[in-house]
Structures are given as structure tokens and as C-alpha cells.
Amino acid sequence: MATTHSADVVVVGGGIGGLTAALSLHAAGIEPLVLESAREIRPLGVGINLQPAAVRELAELGLLDELAELGVPAVEHVFADSRGRTLFGEARGTAAGYNWPQFSVHRGELQLMLLDAVVERLGPGAVRTGVRAVDFEETGDGVRVHAADRSTGGSLDFSAGALVAADGIHSTLRALLHPDQGPLRWNGVTMWRGVTETESFAPGNSVVIAADDKNTQFVAYQISGTALERGRTLVNWVCLVPTGEPGALGTGVNWNAPGAIEDLLPHYADWHFDWTDLPELFARSEQILEYPMVDRDPLPFWGRGRVTLLGDAAHPGYPSGANGGTQAIIDARVLAYHLAAGPDVVGALAAYEAERRAATSAIVLANREMDRVGRNRSAAPGGPSGESIEKVTEAYRRAAGEAEKLNTRASLTPPGAVRV
């Protein structure tokens, strides 16, 4: 079969991590090609928080102004009970001493922002949509990627010096590299997620994280700077409800199933906030999404030779620490740095994995602990306490990177890279 295209690096997956990798590789003088299975990249999904570590990297790619227009700077995490009483507050972003803010933003709008930057800087041919990678083989001096053209049903081959799998939690290429990985781990929690436009959000630029003594949790925050300019606010909300026993997740899960408000409301019948009506907030969402809350155990290795993993394909974790997108962006930047600075591709990918695998493994485990404590914060019914939350957030900051560590860290922009 004839090879249809060659590039320095083929990146499988046009999500946040894959597109950031393309921008970072291009800035370092390395030609990337992104293969995305979806026929069209559309602004799907709900809210995401970008920690200062990710905002720093997007700023070095020249995207800070665009990000600030899209998102809302989060200044505090407020941990509360089901009556809205504050148990513990934690400053975030610049309010916590970081040189960069934390932004809450719509995931789909962030993805389109990155896509626009890729097309503008690399050209429209840098992203091939409707192409699903199905296999790969290493050759003497590179990698050949076998793919399916979802529009024609035909087969395509792509050659590159390196292959980066950024194809998410259901990564096809991860499964090829780790055939014995087993099923996803479910913590017994079902998440319902939605986005609702309202007149106001009383907590302002705070992220609200509330829980009751049944381990049911509710999270809400603003995600749109453009909505605020219109005098409105776009609120991302997440409901996390224990619905089963933790364990391996079966293969019959419909990951695109819409959620039903009738399934959600009974779990919040006794909740009362003075700043919002939860049933109304849920009902006014354009759509409700339903997902199991899952992760995987950290891997003993990511890739081999000229093939590696990035983002959720490498280290899927619970959303408890609001860190998934951030870690994918950092992966992308570290990957480009080592490929630009390393003496050879194989050594560069090994150095990238050595730097990122231990760090992300620690965050996956910290996410589990954050989830455990966050949904079980009451010593007894009616007697909530914020002490355990404060302890676990301190431990999480150490795992994810405290302000002084990030502020003094050297740039991940490799020498000779294009500055934008």
C-alpha cells in the first residue's frame, strides 16, 4: 500500500493534548501531522479547568490573550456542604501566588481555539479528520501508521519518525502497546454534567465543590468570558453520585448516552443553596451528559522505541483534581522539548516518558485520594468538617506543583524554537 503522507511526527488524536503537541512541535521546527477520527472537530463537551501550569505553556505558545477572552479566571475553590455552608476555601491561580491564572473554560471552545491556531500556523493539511488509526509498525528508521478513512472506507498509511498516541481514555494505540491492561476502573460513581446559561452566578469567580453525608457531590463554576461580556453567565455543573459498587467497568457502557433529569433529581431532593435552584439549573441545561467516573492504574511504561503516549491515553484519572487537560498540555510541551533537544528520536521519547510518567502517576493517585475525601467529608450526619479537605488539598498541591516550584521552573520552550 502506498504511503499517503510523511511527517516528522504523527499525532493520533485532535483533542487538547494532540493539538497542543502539534503547536509545540511546529514551534520547535518539527513537522507534525494530526490524525483525528471524528469527521469534524466541533465544540463539544462541557467545562474544564486549566491550572496555572497549563496556562503558562499556552502563554508561551502565544495563546494567552485568546484564552483570557474565552475563559474565566478562577480565584478560589470553595468546599461546602449540601446547605451551601462553606467548610474550607482554597485560593487558586494568581490569588494563590502563581504567576499565571487558573482558567475555567468550555472544553469544546478551547479545542477550537487550538485548532484555529494549528490551521493558521501550520496550514489546513496539518490536521486530517475522519482518519482512524488502527495499527502501527516500527520500521528501520521510523513508524508506519495504518489507518481507516471513515469517509471512503478505504485504508491509508502514514509514515513518520515518531508516533504519539493522544487518542484519549479509549486509546486504540494504548491497547496495542498494553494488550493486558484490562478494563477501566470504576469508583462506583456516575457523573451527570451540563452547561446552563443564567443571569448570574453568586459565587463569582469561585469553583464550588459541595457534598453531603451520603457521598453525593455537586460542582459548579463559570466557564465563559464572552457570556460575562453579554451580562450573562455560562455555568458548568457536575453531579457525582454513588450508584454502584466500585470495580472493573464492563464493555457495554454507552459513552454517548444522554442523561435523564429524572435519574438525577432524587439525589438532590434535600439540597438547598441560597444562590441557585438546583432543579431549575439542571432543567435549563441544553443537554445532560452521563458518564461513569473511571481511571486506570499507572502504567509501568508508556511506549517503546519511536512510539509513545500522551494525555488520557497515557494517564487517565478522575476529574477530582481538575488536572486532566493541564497534564495533557504539559505532556505536549515536554514531548516537543525533548524531541527538539535530544540527540535521537528514541532517546528523546525515553527522556519524555522518564520526566512525565512518574509525575502523572502521582497525580492519578492523588486524584483518587481527593475523590475519596471530597465525597466523604462528614464525620457524622449533620457534622461536616473541612479539616480532611484542607489536608488532602495540601498534599495535592505538592503532587501537582506548588506556586514557587512552577514560578521558578525553566521554560519548556526549547532553544531555537519559534517565539510567538
Side-chain angles (χ1 to χ4, degrees), residues 74 100 139 145 149 163 174 212 233 239 256 260 266 306 331 346 354 366 417:
W100 301 268
T139 61
V145 183
D149 187 325
L163 171 60
R174 172 181 169 132
D212 63 14
T233 184
C239 296
N256 297 312
R306 294 172 177 267
D331 284 352
V346 174

Side-chain angles (χ1 to χ4, degrees), residues 383-397:
S385 169
E387 294 179 5
S388 59
I389 308 170
E390 184 174 5
K391 290 179 181 179
V392 78
T393 55
E394 288 177 358
Y396 195 90
R397 282 198 306 273

Side-chain angles (χ1 to χ4, degrees), residues 15-175:
I16 292 169
L19 294 172
T20 304
L23 291 169
S24 301
L25 290 165
H26 171 71
I30 300 169
E31 181 195 7
L33 173 65
V34 178
L35 306 180
E36 167 55 44
S37 179
R39 292 184 176 91
E40 179 185 2
I41 297 178
R42 295 182 291 144
L44 303 176
V46 285
I48 184 175
N49 275 283
L50 293 182
Q51 305 300 328
V55 175
R56 174 181 180 176
E57 300 312 322
L58 295 180
E60 294 205 3
L61 287 170
L63 296 171
L64 182 58
D65 290 344
E66 291 92 331
L67 180 59
E69 288 180 8
L70 285 182
V72 177
V75 299
E76 185 181 25
H77 281 192
V78 175
F79 296 86
D81 63 15
S82 59
R83 297 284 176 174
R85 295 173 295 192
T86 298
L87 305 177
F88 173 68
E90 180 191 33
R92 307 295 293 186
T94 54
Y98 291 92
N99 291 342
W100 301 268
Q102 171 179 320
F103 278 111
S104 303
V105 65
H106 191 289
R107 178 186 293 271
E109 292 185 358
L110 172 64
Q111 186 179 11
L112 286 190
M113 181 195 84
L114 295 169
L115 177 63
D116 289 344
V118 170
V119 171
E120 178 184 351
R121 298 177 190 182
L122 284 72
V127 179
R128 292 282 303 270
T129 56
V131 177
R132 181 173 60 88
V134 296
D135 204 352
F136 69 89
E137 58 180 307
E138 292 189 76
T139 61
D141 57 355
V143 182
R144 183 170 291 111
V145 183
H146 306 300
D149 187 325
R150 296 189 60 201
S151 298
T152 67
S155 299
L156 301 170
D157 271 5
F158 300 86
S159 68
L163 171 60
V164 178
D167 49 343
I169 193 170
H170 304 294
S171 171
T172 297
L173 300 184
R174 172 181 169 132

Side-chain angles (χ1 to χ4, degrees), residues 230-417:
R230 294 188 285 106
R232 304 284 289 177
T233 184
L234 203 61
V235 178
N236 177 84
W237 55 265
V238 190
C239 296
L240 303 97
V241 180
T243 58
E245 290 298 319
L249 190 69
T251 58
V253 176
N254 183 355
W255 291 87
N256 297 312
I261 193 170
E262 295 80 9
D263 296 334
L264 171 61
L265 285 175
H267 300 288
Y268 294 88
D270 297 329
W271 287 54
H272 300 284
F273 293 157
D274 60 8
W275 53 268
T276 192
D277 182 298
L278 288 182
E280 181 182 3
L281 187 74
F282 302 153
R284 291 177 58 190
S285 180
E286 289 188 4
Q287 62 176 334
I288 297 177
L289 306 175
E290 181 180 338
Y291 307 99
M293 191 168 171
V294 297
D295 72 356
R296 289 191 185 277
D297 289 331
L299 289 169
F301 68 94
W302 284 357
R304 63 170 187 257
R306 294 172 177 267
V307 184
T308 194
L309 305 175
L310 185 150
D312 279 350
H315 44 77
Y318 297 158
S320 313
N323 223 322
T326 291
Q327 296 307 310
I329 288 170
I330 298 172
D331 284 352
R333 299 285 289 158
V334 173
L335 171 78
Y337 181 91
H338 284 293
L339 281 172
D344 62 84
V345 170
V346 174
L349 294 187
Y352 154 71
E353 179 179 324
E355 180 171 342
R356 292 299 296 152
R357 187 169 59 82
T360 54
S361 294
I363 289 173
V364 168
L365 299 179
N367 282 342
R368 289 181 183 175
E369 181 64 9
M370 179 76 79
D371 169 65
R372 185 189 68 80
V373 173
R375 289 186 300 103
N376 188 23
R377 62 188 57 171
S378 301
S385 169
E387 294 179 5
S388 59
I389 308 170
E390 184 174 5
K391 290 179 181 179
V392 78
T393 55
E394 288 177 358
Y396 195 90
R397 282 198 306 273
R398 289 193 295 270
E402 295 179 297
E404 183 178 359
K405 181 179 178 181
L406 178 63
N407 293 346
T408 58
R409 195 207 69 203
S411 172
L412 292 178
T413 299

